[in-house]
Amino acid sequence: MTVNNYHHRRRILVTGGAGFLGSHLIDRLLADGNEVLCVDNLFTGTKDNVAHLRDNPNFEFLRHDITEPLQVEVDEIYNLACPASPIHYQYDPVKTIKTSVVGATNMLELAKRLGAKVFQASTSEVYGDPSVHPQVESYWGNVNPIGIRSCYDEGKRCAETLFFDYHRQTGIEIKVIRIFNTYGPRMHRADGRVVSNFIVQALRGEDISIYGDGSQSRSFCYVSDLIDGMVRLMNSRDGFHGPVNIGNPGEFTMLQLAENILDITGSKSQLVFEPLPQDDPRQRKPDITLAQAELGWEPKVALREGLEKTIAYFEKAL
């Protein structure tokens, strides 16, 4: 006998769904048997990222800017909308902070009206240039409130404040994740982030631009690991709101990252050193103790394996 699971299927809103992370999240949610409404204004996202879902009856695309109110009927909300690379979020910094603050408010109001669970994609940038290493969720951060990165850093910090105030004031169920550097297929080739920059430059045989002396460190999480953490957080026990770090605690300098990419691609590109951008963090590494305890989560994809998959994507895309 065929069992009708219609009443068990969730209708899920993903804002920023045509972006790098949003499109991978939608793939996962659809694979889990949900209906997904993808909302994106296509400022940094692209329909190409979700083109393979065009004929999926459980997928719907809506072009909309979440700084404007949205009236839809859904069971859950993942709020990922916001440009996340310095080139994009500094292009229109006022718009960036509005997306984080006004957009978050609109999604929280929608969640309040629907009684829906709502998820906020926050960032390790809330820690700024950290004086605590590795970064734990209880650390309040070291952020310049008036710098060129502040539209993103402080916008995300304010969004976290809004989420917790709405929870305390209205009782809505919230989930807040702090995403550390993530990479993988569908990254924008011109987003200015270090992994895509290095790969594109290596594949084109161009000089690889290293800012500073290359000793600053990052922790790189492959996209499939991040998406698994996001879904685990959304489905975690009621009363656990986060914020929770999701990232790979393996720490690499910029020089080590460049050397890995040069080795995999076989590129003859040369390393060139340029001035470090303003407020660029010197080090970044997540403490994932909370994610391990509450979500049973830890990353599975090593940097070398993830870079090979990402490079294979860019080889076809360029």
Side-chain angles (χ1 to χ4, degrees), residues 22-39:
S23 62
H24 283 282
L25 174 61
I26 289 173
D27 284 344
R28 169 65 183 271
L29 295 175
L30 289 170
D32 288 347
N34 302 293
E35 295 180 6
V36 177
L37 171 59
C38 170
V39 168

Side-chain angles (χ1 to χ4, degrees), residues 144-151 278-279:
N144 176 2
I146 58 170
I148 60 172
R149 300 171 65 104
S150 306
C151 59
Q278 180 185 335
D279 299 329

Side-chain angles (χ1 to χ4, degrees), residues 62-275:
L62 174 64
R63 186 165 184 172
H64 179 84
D65 189 319
I66 65 162
T67 59
E68 300 295 332
L70 180 63
Q71 299 298 324
V72 294
E73 302 297 321
V74 294
D75 302 305
E76 293 180 353
I77 302 166
Y78 284 85
N79 184 36
L80 276 62
C82 188
S85 73
I87 285 178
H88 291 146
Y89 67 63
Q90 291 169 11
Y91 173 77
D92 188 344
V94 173
K95 180 68 173 179
T96 295
I97 200 164
K98 283 182 175 180
T99 301
S100 285
V101 177
V102 179
T105 302
N106 285 334
M107 292 305 102
L108 287 161
E109 284 293 323
L110 178 62
K112 182 177 72 170
R113 178 177 71 81
L114 298 174
K117 186 161 47 174
V118 58
F119 176 107
Q120 169 64 10
S122 190
T123 172
S124 61
E125 299 299 332
V126 301
Y127 299 122
D129 188 7
S131 56
V132 170
H133 193 74
Q135 291 78 60
V136 293
E137 290 87 351
S138 58
Y139 175 54
W140 290 355
N142 177 35
V143 178
N144 176 2
I146 58 170
I148 60 172
R149 300 171 65 104
S150 306
C151 59
Y152 184 70
D153 301 359
E154 295 287 42
K156 290 290 191 177
R157 285 163 67 94
C158 186
E160 286 195 16
T161 302
L162 282 164
F163 265 69
F164 278 88
D165 282 341
Y166 261 81
H167 166 68
R168 286 185 284 259
Q169 194 165 322
T170 70
I172 62 172
E173 186 67 12
I174 64 167
K175 304 289 182 179
V176 178
I177 191 175
R178 288 177 178 165
I179 298 171
F180 282 68
N181 292 66
T182 305
Y183 69 101
R186 301 183 199 157
M187 292 186 80
H188 196 296
R189 72 185 70 178
D191 67 3
R193 290 191 249 195
V194 65
V195 173
S196 53
N197 269 4
F198 283 6
I199 290 174
V200 169
Q201 289 170 335
L203 290 176
R204 289 176 172 168
E206 301 170 352
D207 289 341
I208 290 182
S209 305
I210 293 182
Y211 297 97
D213 61 6
S215 64
Q216 66 271 34
S217 68
R218 294 292 185 273
S219 300
F220 301 101
C221 185
Y222 189 66
V223 63
S224 61
D225 284 332
L226 175 76
I227 298 305
D228 184 54
M230 294 173 81
V231 172
R232 285 175 183 247
L233 175 59
M234 184 61 118
N235 295 330
S236 63
R237 63 178 175 86
D238 286 353
F240 178 66
H241 309 296
V244 59
N245 292 336
I246 297 292
N248 192 320
E251 188 176 9
F252 296 86
T253 67
M254 298 301 96
L255 281 174
Q256 289 173 320
L257 176 66
E259 288 163 359
N260 268 282
I261 290 171
L262 287 173
D263 184 51
I264 295 169
T265 59
S267 174
K268 303 302 182 185
S269 294
Q270 301 298 308
L271 305 183
V272 297
F273 295 86
E274 300 184 13

